[in-house]
Amino acid sequence: MKRIFYLFASVSMLGMISSCDSGDKKDKQAAATGYDESFDVTAQSFADIQILRYEVPGFDQLTLKQKEFVYYLSQAGLAGRDIFYDQKSKYGLMLRKTLENMYETYSGDKNTEDWNKFQTYIARFWFSYGNHHHYGNEKFFPECSKDYFVSVAKASNPSGFPMNEGESLDDFLARVTDIIYNPNIEPKLVDFGANKDVVKASSVNFYENVTQKEVEDFYAKFNSSGEAPMWGLNSKLMKENGRLVEKVWKVGGMYSDAITKIVYWLEKAAPLAENDAQKKALELLIEYYKTGDLHTFDQYSIAWVNDTASTTDVVNGFIETYEDPLSRKASFESVVSMKDFEASRNINILAANAQWFEDNSPLMDEHKKKEVKGIIAKAITVINEAGRLSPSTAIGINLPNNEWIRKEHGSKSVSLSNIVHSYNVSSATSGMLDEFGVDDEVKERIRKWSALASDLHTEMHEVIGHASGQINPGISTPDKTLKNYASALEEARADLVALYYAIDPKLVELGVMSTVDVGKAEYDSYMMNGLMTQLTRLKPGDKLEEAHMRNRQLVAKWAYEHGKADNVVEMVKRDGKTYVKVNDYDKLRDLFGRLLREIQRVKSEGDFEGGKHLIETYGVKVDPELHKEVLERFNKLNIKPYKGFIQPKLVPVMDGDKIKDVKIEYPDNFYKQMMEYSKEYSNLPLNN
C-alpha cells in the first residue's frame, strides 16, 4: 500500500542543512560523481513553493542502447501525466485546459499585479495537478478577483476553451468560475477527519455517488488472504443504475487513450532491456496495462524485484494510494533512473543486516519476521519523473507494496541521491537552524552531521522500516483494518524503526556512521520538526491532515508527553521564543521503541480503535499559540516551505529514423515546461 512509499521530500528542513564537515565531504563526493558546482539548482518561486532543478551525473556514460531505453521509458511516463489530473478531480483536465488557454492567448496587459496573481494561480495549479494544495489537500483560490478572471478569459481565444456543445462563453465562464471560486465545491481533496464519511467528504476522483460503507462492503467480498492482489488498486468505483461498478484503468477501459500511449513507449523500450529479467518485467507491465488484471500486476512486481543487475530502472503505473482516503486506489506515477554506485554503500550495508535489526527490535516476538527476505537496496540517480512524482517528489522509495510479495519475494529500497543533493544545496543557507535550534551545541551538531543523519534516517526508514514486522495470521491488510489511518500509522512505524536505531552503536560498528552524535543530530531535528517547524506548512486554524505530517507529530508529541515525568524532552522558553530541547537521548530512544511496539501491535492485530486513538490524540491537533509563534518566526526568514522540480529533458539525436544519441537538457522555466508538456502529452478527453 501507499505506506511503502516514503513521500518525504519535505524531510525536516532542519535536517537538510549541511554547511560543514559532512557537508564538505558530500561536496567532494559530488565533484567525484559528476555534479557541476556551477549548476544553479534554483528556478522560479511562487506562493509557498520554490522550484528547483536537478542534475543527472553519469548520464553521458550510459551506452547508446541504455540512453535510447531510458528515453522511451521517460516518454511512457509523460504519456500518463493527464491521468493524475483526472484522478485528483473530475474537473481537473477541463480547468487546466481553460487556464492554459488564458495563459497562452490573453491579449491584454501582462504587466499588472492582477496578471501576476493569475500566473501564480496557474503555477500552483500545475504544481498540484489541480486546485487542491499538493500537501495540505485544501482547496486554494486565485488572488485575483472573479471579475478580473472573466475579463482575462474574454480577452483570450474563445475557440481554445473546452466548452460543452452548444454552450455559450458566458455560460461556460459562469460554470468554470463557480468551480474555481466557490469554497463549497470540492473543498478538500482528501479528508481524513474522524467520525465522517471520508469518501463523501473527499473530492478525489476515485469514487462517484458511493458512500464509505458501500466501498468497504464492496471490497469486503473480495478474498484478501494468501497471495491476493491489492483489490481496487487500478479502478474507479461508482454507481450506475443503482449498481456498484468498477471502471478499470486499462487499454480499452478507463484512461485507455493515455494508457495506449504508455504501452506504445513501453513496447519500444522492452527490446532494449539490459537483460532477460528486465525485459520480462516490462513485458508483464505491458500485459497488465492491456488487461487490467491485478494478478498480472503482482507477477510484474515479482519480476521487477528480481531484476537486480540492471543499471537502469523504471517505476511506472498505479502505485501509491496517498490520494485515496481509504488507502486503496493508486495514483499514476513514473520515475526513470540509473544506479548511483558511489552512493549505494550505506544502504547496501543496512539491507545486508536487515535480519539483525529485525531480531533486535523492541517488537513483540510474535510480530517479528523470522526471515526478512530479499531487500535489494541501492541509491539511484533520477533521470526523469512524471505523474504524482513531479514536480513534488520523494527522496526514498520502497516497493512493491503488496504484503505477501514483500514477505515471499522481498523488495527494492532506493534513495534518490541527486534529488537529495539538490535539496541539500538549496537548503544550506536557509536560516532555519539559527532561528529554531535551541543552543549552540545542538546547532553545531546538526550542522556537522545533519546531511548524513538525514540520509541514514531515510535509508533505515525504507530498508529496515517498511520491511519490518508482520501481520497476525487471519488479519486483513491495513487498508481494510486501519482504513483512513493506515498511511499515517505506517509512516510513523517506519520512522520509529529508523529513530530507534539512529543512536545504536551497531551503526558505528557497521561503518555507516562514525559516532552516535549523528543519531543525536537526527533526534534533535526530528523532535523540532515534529513538534514545531513542520507547522510552517499550515495556515492558522488548520489541523494536520497529510499523512506524513500526522506521522511526525504523532511520534514527537507522544514521546514528549510520555517522557514528561523524566523531562526527556523539554519545551524551553527564552526571550519570548519556544525551543525544543532533548535532555536524555537514551530515554528518548526507549520511548521511540515503546511507541514502535504499540504501532506494530495495532497493525499486526488490525486494531482500528487503537490506531484511531493514536492519530486523533497526538497527530491531528495543533496548539494555536505555538503555531502563531512558529509562523511569525518563519515568515521573517523569507523562505518557501515547499519545493519541487523542473524535469530534465531527454532529446533524441536522429540519423534518419534511427536514434544515434540522446542528449540531456536542463530547462530552467517551470511555466514553459508545463505548457510544452500540455501540448505534447495531452492524451485524455475531458470526461473519462
Side-chain angles (χ1 to χ4, degrees):
M1 359 170 85
K2 61 189 178 185
R3 63 182 189 273
I4 304 301
F5 192 98
Y6 191 31
L7 185 60
F8 205 35
S10 60
V11 195
S12 158
M13 285 184 291
L14 296 169
M16 293 299 291
I17 299 165
S18 57
S19 59
C20 60
D21 290 353
S22 62
D24 293 339
K25 180 180 178 181
K26 281 187 173 289
D27 288 341
K28 292 175 183 177
Q29 182 188 50
T33 53
Y35 290 106
D36 182 354
E37 292 183 3
S38 66
F39 185 85
D40 188 356
V41 302
T42 60
Q44 293 82 27
S45 64
F46 46 84
D48 56 358
I49 294 163
Q50 174 67 59
I51 298 294
L52 303 177
R53 303 158 71 221
Y54 64 89
E55 294 180 87
V56 187
F59 181 83
D60 290 338
Q61 278 66 61
L62 294 177
T63 66
L64 174 58
K65 183 179 178 182
Q66 289 171 324
K67 287 181 179 179
E68 187 175 356
F69 180 66
V70 298
Y71 167 71
Y72 293 144
L73 294 178
S74 72
Q75 293 299 300
L78 291 167
R81 70 186 295 268
D82 268 8
I83 294 173
F84 193 38
Y85 276 100
D86 193 75
Q87 287 179 320
K88 293 195 78 173
S89 170
K90 62 184 178 182
Y91 305 121
L93 290 171
M94 183 273 289
L95 292 179
R96 193 192 78 200
K97 292 178 186 298
T98 299
L99 295 169
E100 288 172 348
N101 183 53
M102 294 164 66
Y103 178 77
E104 185 175 38
T105 68
Y106 174 54
S107 59
D109 186 356
K110 294 186 177 181
N111 295 304
T112 68
E113 184 62 27
D114 276 333
W115 177 255
N116 289 337
K117 291 176 180 177
F118 173 78
Q119 282 194 119
T120 295
Y121 181 73
I122 191 173
R124 295 185 72 190
F125 190 96
W126 282 323
F127 192 91
S128 298
Y129 282 80
N131 58 349
H132 295 90
H133 195 278
H134 76 285
Y135 207 80
N137 288 325
E138 73 279 2
K139 184 174 182 176
F140 58 81
F141 306 90
E143 293 185 0
C144 59
S145 69
K146 186 188 297 186
D147 288 343
Y148 177 77
F149 186 96
V150 170
S151 73
V152 171
K154 290 191 172 182
S156 302
N157 178 14
S159 65
F161 290 120
M163 292 183 285
N164 294 331
E165 186 176 351
E167 187 177 30
S168 70
L169 180 60
D170 284 341
D171 288 343
F172 170 75
L173 291 177
R175 177 164 62 92
V176 167
T177 54
D178 194 33
I179 295 170
I180 290 175
Y181 283 92
N182 188 337
N184 297 315
I185 295 178
E186 296 193 336
K188 183 166 286 188
L189 180 73
V190 186
D191 194 328
F192 291 111
N195 304 317
K196 65 171 62 175
D197 186 321
V198 295
V199 169
K200 286 287 189 182
S202 302
S203 61
V204 67
N205 193 26
F206 291 140
Y207 307 102
E208 190 169 338
N209 298 324
V210 294
T211 67
Q212 179 177 348
K213 186 178 187 306
E214 287 174 323
V215 175
E216 291 171 352
D217 289 346
F218 181 84
Y219 287 109
K221 299 173 184 177
F222 288 70
N223 180 10
S224 296
S225 62
E227 297 182 357
M230 298 172 66
W231 298 115
L233 188 74
N234 65 333
S235 63
K236 177 177 179 177
L237 186 65
M238 59 192 300
K239 194 175 287 184
E240 287 185 345
N241 300 319
R243 293 178 60 250
L244 287 172
V245 295
E246 279 190 305
K247 300 290 187 179
V248 179
W249 308 326
K250 64 175 183 175
V251 173
M254 189 172 176
Y255 300 140
S256 179
D257 291 349
I259 294 173
T260 299
K261 286 290 182 72
I262 294 170
V263 167
Y264 168 81
W265 289 110
L266 292 177
E267 289 181 331
K268 290 180 75 69
L272 301 174
E274 295 183 40
N275 50 57
D276 290 342
Q278 189 176 58
K279 184 177 181 181
K280 178 182 179 181
L282 284 176
E283 288 174 343
L284 284 166
L285 179 59
I286 291 166
E287 182 183 348
Y288 160 65
Y289 270 134
K290 289 181 176 179
T291 64
D293 188 337
L294 287 169
H295 292 283
T296 303
F297 179 71
D298 283 352
Q299 293 306 306
Y300 153 73
S301 298
I302 294 168
W304 180 78
V305 167
N306 289 335
D307 174 23
T308 60
S310 301
T311 297
T312 56
D313 204 354
V314 65
V315 172
N316 182 299
F318 307 110
I319 310 296
E320 304 298 341
T321 59
Y322 287 101
E323 284 73 37
D324 182 0
L326 296 181
S327 302
R328 182 174 294 278
K329 308 294 182 182
S331 302
F332 176 79
E333 65 182 48
S334 170
V335 55
V336 181
S337 64
M338 54 190 280
K339 274 184 183 176
D340 183 340
F341 293 96
E342 179 68 26
S344 293
R345 176 184 174 276
N346 279 359
I347 200 169
N348 286 330
I349 292 172
L350 294 170
N353 288 274
Q355 192 65 56
W356 183 93
F357 290 110
E358 184 77 354
D359 293 343
N360 289 275
S361 76
L363 306 184
M364 299 177 191
D365 287 342
E366 60 267 31
H367 297 158
K368 294 180 183 180
K369 286 181 179 175
K370 301 302 180 285
E371 185 179 0
V372 180
K373 289 188 178 179
I375 300 175
I376 308 303
K378 60 183 178 178
I380 64 171
T381 298
V382 175
I383 297 173
N384 180 272
E385 296 177 307
R388 74 174 304 277
L389 284 175
S390 170
S392 179
T393 185
I395 62 170
I397 301 173
N398 189 295
L399 293 172
N401 289 333
N402 196 320
E403 289 283 352
W404 76 262
I405 297 178
R406 297 172 63 79
K407 182 178 180 181
E408 298 298 327
H409 298 276
S411 61
K412 281 184 185 177
S413 181
V414 300
S415 172
L416 284 58
S417 60
N418 56 334
I419 297 295
V420 172
H421 174 75
S422 283
Y423 278 131
N424 282 342
V425 171
S426 71
S427 299
T429 57
S430 70
M432 285 288 289
L433 181 57
D434 286 329
E435 177 59 41
F436 290 98
V438 65
D439 56 37
D440 290 341
E441 179 183 356
V442 166
K443 286 187 280 191
E444 180 57 29
R445 183 164 52 229
I446 291 175
R447 285 194 177 97
K448 187 172 185 177
W449 299 116
S450 64
L452 177 58
S454 179
D455 285 352
L456 282 175
H457 179 103
T458 302
E459 290 161 359
M460 288 191 290
H461 175 113
E462 298 294 348
V463 176
I464 60 176
H466 283 308
S468 69
Q470 63 183 4
I471 297 174
N472 291 355
I475 300 298
S476 294
T477 51
D479 61 295
K480 286 188 174 181
T481 59
L482 304 181
K483 302 178 183 179
N484 47 306
Y485 298 107
S487 294
L489 288 167
E490 176 59 23
E491 294 305 323
R493 195 184 67 84
D495 262 6
L496 285 161
V497 172
L499 290 167
Y500 181 75
Y501 286 113
I503 63 170
D504 196 305
K506 181 70 173 181
L507 298 185
V508 178
E509 177 189 325
L510 292 174
V512 298
M513 67 184 190
S514 60
T515 170
V516 295
D517 280 353
V518 176
K520 289 181 178 180
E522 184 61 20
Y523 280 19
D524 293 329
S525 294
Y526 195 96
M527 294 302 292
M528 277 188 276
N529 192 39
L531 291 173
M532 287 187 65
T533 55
Q534 73 166 356
L535 299 179
T536 59
R537 295 170 168 237
L538 298 179
K539 298 193 298 290
D542 284 356
K543 293 181 178 180
L544 293 171
E545 293 281 353
E546 199 277 333
H548 296 83
M549 294 184 75
R550 285 184 164 194
N551 132 47
R552 290 191 286 270
Q553 179 168 292
L554 161 61
V555 170
K557 192 170 182 181
W558 188 97
Y560 169 69
E561 294 290 345
H562 285 75
K564 272 186 175 180
D566 295 323
N567 201 30
V568 177
V569 179
E570 185 179 2
M571 302 294 280
V572 176
K573 286 281 191 179
R574 189 170 63 237
D575 299 326
K577 295 182 178 181
T578 306
Y579 301 90
V580 177
K581 181 175 176 56
V582 179
N583 292 316
D584 193 320
Y585 294 90
D586 290 326
K587 287 184 178 179
L588 181 55
R589 184 196 184 196
D590 180 64
L591 289 166
F592 288 148
R594 286 167 52 193
L595 181 57
L596 171 59
R597 182 184 178 95
E598 172 60 10
I599 292 181
Q600 182 63 58
R601 183 201 65 76
V602 165
K603 177 182 177 181
S604 296
E605 298 177 1
D607 181 2
F608 174 80
E609 290 300 327
K612 176 182 177 181
H613 171 76
L614 287 171
I615 295 295
E616 294 294 338
T617 305
Y618 301 101
V620 175
K621 301 168 187 174
V622 176
D623 180 337
E625 290 302 315
L626 179 63
H627 188 199
K628 178 182 178 183
E629 176 198 325
V630 169
L631 289 177
E632 289 174 350
R633 293 164 65 182
F634 177 75
N635 290 337
K636 293 177 182 178
L637 299 176
N638 195 31
I639 56 178
K640 305 293 185 182
Y642 301 98
K643 295 175 183 177
F645 291 90
I646 297 173
Q647 296 300 314
K649 183 177 183 179
L650 301 187
V651 182
V653 179
M654 305 302 296
D655 182 5
D657 60 351
K658 295 184 181 295
I659 294 177
K660 67 177 184 179
D661 196 9
V662 177
K663 300 293 185 182
I664 191 162
E665 297 178 354
Y666 298 105
D668 61 4
N669 190 304
F670 178 70
Y671 293 83
K672 184 177 180 181
Q673 181 166 84
M674 292 297 98
M675 290 300 293
E676 287 178 352
Y677 279 177
S678 291
K679 292 181 189 304
E680 295 178 27
Y681 305 106
S682 288
N683 295 321
L684 286 180
L686 295 184
N687 299 310
N688 296 282

